[in-house]
Amino acid sequence: MHLVAAARLALGREASPSAGVIDSQSAKTMDVAGLRGYDAGKKVRGRKRHIITDTEGHLVGLTVHTADIQDRDGAVGVIAFSCMVSTLRGVRCWCVNCNGGR
């Protein structure tokens, strides 16, 4: 059984989450090789992590991109990846500042 599903069942919740929160974080990297970009909004050269957590705070999905990807575009990627590898179906997600400056 998936660890998140087991933890949710132990709390008396449904195994598959019905809601989640998406957020991102830019992190500096010094690697010359590998993925790296520039997040102009945060003035960081490196990588950006996009995560999905359920309402209990369990990590449901994670992807790593170059830092130059927009939050709204990275959110689509982490949702698609999480749906492919887990039991996420029909989940309603809320983004933290995924409006792209609009």
Side-chain angles (χ1 to χ4, degrees):
M1 181 183 292
H2 194 267
L3 289 176
V4 172
R8 290 180 60 82
L9 289 172
L11 292 170
R13 309 288 300 251
E14 292 287 329
S16 181
S18 60
V21 177
I22 301 173
D23 199 6
S24 68
Q25 178 185 25
S26 296
K28 292 182 183 179
T29 59
M30 296 299 178
D31 295 342
V32 175
L35 297 175
R36 195 168 80 157
Y38 184 71
D39 183 348
K42 296 181 181 150
K43 297 180 176 70
V44 172
R45 180 171 301 283
R47 297 183 182 104
K48 187 178 283 190
R49 297 182 282 261
H50 285 87
I51 65 167
I52 300 178
T53 61
D54 67 3
T55 56
E56 298 292 331
H58 300 116
L59 185 65
V60 176
L62 166 78
T63 57
V64 178
H65 307 277
T66 59
D68 56 356
I69 191 168
Q70 290 287 328
D71 285 348
R72 65 178 178 263
D73 299 330
V76 172
V78 73
I79 291 169
F81 179 75
S82 298
C83 289
M84 286 189 314
V85 298
S86 69
T87 59
L88 292 180
R89 289 184 187 86
V91 176
R92 180 174 290 161
C93 291
W94 288 266
C95 291
V96 178
N97 294 327
C98 288
N99 61 4
R102 285 183 252 159

